Amino acid sequence: MSAQPARNSTREWQALDRAHVHPFTDHAQLHKVGPRVITKAEGTHLIDSEGVKLLDAFAGLWCVNVGYGRKSIAEVAYKQLLELPYYNTFFKTTHPPVAELSRILIDMTPKQFNHVFYGQSGSDANDTIVRMVRSYWNLKKQPKKKTIIARTNGYHGSTMVAASLGGMSYMHELADLPLPGFVHIRQPYWYGEGGDMTPDAFGKLCAQALEDKIQELGPENIAAFIGEPIQGAGGVIIPPQTYWPEIQKICKKHDILLIADEVICGFGRTGHWFASEYYGIEADFMTLAKGITSGYIPLSAIMVGDRVADVLGAMGDFAHGFTYSGHPVACAVAIENIRIMNDEKLVDRVKNETGPYLAKRMQEFLDHPLVGEVRNLGLMGAIELVKDKKTRKTFDPVGDTGTICRDHCFKLGLVMRATRDTMLISPPLTWTKADIDEWAGLTKQALDLTAKEVGKA
Ligand code: PMP
């Protein structure tokens, strides 16, 4: 193969992308407008191939928690690449980065977690958890306990199993999902579905849906329940305070394993190291990815609770693993990433300073003609755009207004994400009050332009 010529123009990169790449994209749109080419990033900003600077209010994809351009992470990766770029953790071998990271994760996660299993992505981690759940019940001689209950509009990844756990109907349609053994109950989305109920009453009602589903299918058939403490991709759906305690009770009552998917919520996003701590969730598994390395390199980790680890550990060979499970460079990067978060007290800062300040600035949007609700926990928030603020009536079709707003954000130099007509924010945890002010100013402009375009100004 001959060496590839160096390319240096937006057009050339766009042509290659159109021809050969692209996850989660409307391909018709892509072919019309072409992708934006991001070439650099520094701190809290991205720079595209035309030199345009963008404020990244989405931390890449909910993941660049320590911000861009961390030299110490690059240095640690470089050193590790020279020292031991790769070795596997199969067949009774290990290496220092994986051993050390495991100790760190065990020390920082809730006390029931004393075992870790590594993967490359949130999706394969959730896949692995399903395998562990099934093995657990087989070993406990309750092989009928196989069905996993998840939630409508939950997101757990894109493999066949992870997408089956997820409750996104448009993902199910693609490939005849969910697979057998995966069922879904309603989500605790008070603003969208709570009507006149108080949030607390609605939280209990949504938890009752778990009890009802268990009764419908028979507790002897239910293996586990999975949920994101706060649904991310589904639209930053923050459950009422009554929800998780009730879910926890129901799982205990019926001897059902509880899986907390902390892929987005983990590593400080909510102002707590893990949202499970905030909600008092005592999970049997926690799925970790994204913020574990701040997205600098792929890594996921499954925290396995003692109750499960004790049973699986007695089994002998757990015939499961990936070539890159516990990759040394990824583990070294994770260690450095966590060191930065600790040294800079990023989690405290989100909890006590920037999270509350974001809430305050978001409240100001409630006067806007398009905005029905704002909500956040830490640096994870949502702005609901609605046709009628009083009745919470949505636009028809749902989704166009969010897309219009997202495009205005882009033109103004701001990256936000839209789910339905809900604008989502999830910035690097390094954001200062000044960054939040910059965001609020740009968002206000984008909302005004959107209101004009949809006739609500
Ligand atoms: N779980 C949750 C809660 C997620 O948000 C995501 C990704 N957004 C995943 C799992 C899947 O992670 P990955 O894309 O790394 O496979």
Side-chain angles (χ1 to χ4, degrees):
M1 203 182 95
S2 60
Q4 293 293 304
R7 290 172 218 279
N8 61 7
S9 84
T10 302
R11 250 206 227 140
E12 282 175 305
W13 286 314
Q14 286 178 330
L16 278 179
D17 177 274
R18 266 191 284 230
H20 307 301
V21 207
H22 243 97
F24 269 112
T25 289
D26 175 339
H27 284 257
Q29 272 292 318
L30 178 71
H31 281 266
K32 233 193 273 165
V33 298
R36 184 184 287 270
V37 182
I38 303 295
T39 48
K40 284 188 200 140
E42 187 55 49
T44 54
H45 285 79
L46 305 166
I47 298 157
D48 78 9
S49 52
E50 299 297 303
V52 176
K53 223 173 148 188
L54 298 150
L55 179 66
D56 184 7
F58 215 68
L61 262 182
W62 324 83
C63 56
V64 187
N65 290 10
V66 298
Y68 298 96
R70 293 284 188 166
K71 283 204 174 60
S72 68
I73 293 185
E75 281 159 7
V76 160
Y78 178 73
K79 188 165 166 274
Q80 188 60 48
L81 281 164
L82 291 177
E83 211 162 278
L84 180 72
Y86 175 76
Y87 200 71
N88 67 68
T89 50
F90 287 15
F91 319 128
K92 296 184 289 185
T93 48
T94 191
H95 48 71
V98 77
E100 273 164 36
L101 177 61
S102 303
R103 184 72 250 164
I104 291 168
L105 291 176
I106 283 157
D107 285 346
M108 70 194 290
T109 51
K111 62 179 185 323
Q112 72 272 28
F113 295 119
N114 290 296
H115 291 84
V116 200
F117 186 97
Y118 294 97
Q120 300 72 232
S121 69
S123 302
D124 68 54
N126 281 326
D127 234 288
T128 295
I129 289 176
V130 170
R131 211 153 170 216
M132 289 183 174
V133 166
R134 290 188 172 201
S135 304
Y136 173 80
W137 289 117
N138 286 343
L139 288 162
K140 295 274 287 180
K141 306 247 178 310
Q142 289 176 264
K144 274 174 67 188
K145 262 174 123 52
K146 288 285 154 62
T147 298
I148 300 186
I149 302 177
R151 279 119 31 114
T152 304
N153 201 35
Y155 188 82
H156 300 291
S158 271
T159 60
M160 292 290 275
V161 163
S164 295
L165 290 169
M168 306 286 187
S169 52
Y170 60 92
M171 289 180 76
H172 291 167
E173 281 157 21
L174 271 182
D176 309 321
L177 299 176
L179 297 168
F182 298 90
V183 298
H184 299 84
I185 58 170
R186 71 182 302 177
Q187 56 180 337
Y189 180 23
W190 176 75
Y191 183 75
E193 300 173 10
D196 294 334
M197 295 182 84
T198 62
D200 279 359
F202 183 68
K204 284 194 177 161
L205 180 81
C206 293
Q208 180 63 31
L210 176 61
E211 176 72 40
D212 295 347
K213 184 57 83 181
I214 293 168
Q215 295 302 344
E216 178 194 327
L217 301 176
E220 70 283 7
N221 298 313
I222 310 299
F225 174 76
I226 184 169
E228 303 152 80
I230 294 172
Q231 284 157 260
V236 182
I237 292 167
I238 303 177
Q241 289 296 339
T242 48
Y243 181 74
W244 276 111
E246 215 49 43
I247 291 281
Q248 179 84 56
K249 247 193 258 166
I250 295 167
C251 288
K252 277 209 172 120
K253 178 173 147 199
H254 295 293
D255 197 17
I256 285 165
L257 297 171
L258 178 54
I259 307 159
D261 184 337
E262 293 258 9
V263 166
I264 287 177
C265 295
F267 293 94
R269 168 90 14 233
T270 65
H272 304 267
W273 276 104
F274 302 98
S276 290
E277 294 161 13
Y278 173 73
Y279 286 114
I281 302 170
E282 288 168 36
D284 294 293
F285 295 96
M286 269 191 347
T287 325
L288 309 178
K290 295 193 190 273
I292 192 170
T293 56
S294 285
Y296 275 61
I297 201 161
L299 181 72
S300 61
I302 299 160
M303 302 309 298
V304 186
D306 288 340
R307 170 185 173 192
V308 175
D310 290 349
V311 172
L312 295 187
M315 148 165 84
D317 194 5
F318 182 58
H320 182 85
F322 306 107
T323 302
Y324 301 126
S325 291
H327 192 286
V329 182
C331 290
V333 164
I335 293 168
E336 176 60 11
N337 174 60
I338 295 166
R339 184 199 65 73
I340 292 171
M341 291 190 68
N342 273 319
D343 282 8
E344 297 182 8
K345 300 190 169 42
L346 290 181
V347 185
D348 282 352
R349 196 161 116 189
V350 171
K351 182 177 177 196
N352 299 316
E353 192 186 326
T354 45
Y357 189 66
L358 176 67
K360 179 168 168 275
R361 297 298 323 250
M362 285 176 88
Q363 290 291 320
E364 294 166 16
F365 295 133
L366 283 174
D367 290 337
H368 195 276
L370 274 182
V371 176
E373 192 198 46
V374 295
R375 54 179 179 264
N376 77 303
L377 183 66
L379 291 188
M380 183 175 183
I383 304 172
E384 296 267 5
L385 310 185
V386 285
K387 191 165 166 75
D388 186 328
K389 289 162 69 105
K390 265 206 195 105
T391 60
R392 305 184 196 168
K393 190 172 181 323
T394 55
F395 287 97
D396 184 18
V398 169
D400 288 0
T401 307
T403 306
I404 290 168
C405 187
R406 186 194 61 195
D407 291 348
H408 280 304
C409 288
F410 252 131
K411 281 184 216 140
L412 291 162
L414 170 67
V415 179
M416 282 193 51
R417 175 156 158 185
T419 289
R420 299 180 302 277
D421 292 323
T422 309
M423 303 308 296
L424 308 181
I425 173 173
S426 168
L429 308 186
T430 50
W431 265 26
T432 59
K433 287 184 175 176
D435 292 313
I436 294 172
D437 288 338
E438 184 184 349
W439 168 81
L442 292 169
T443 301
K444 169 80 171 61
Q445 288 181 55
L447 288 172
D448 289 347
L449 290 167
T450 306
K452 234 189 234 163
E453 199 168 328
V454 302
K456 287 222 32 147

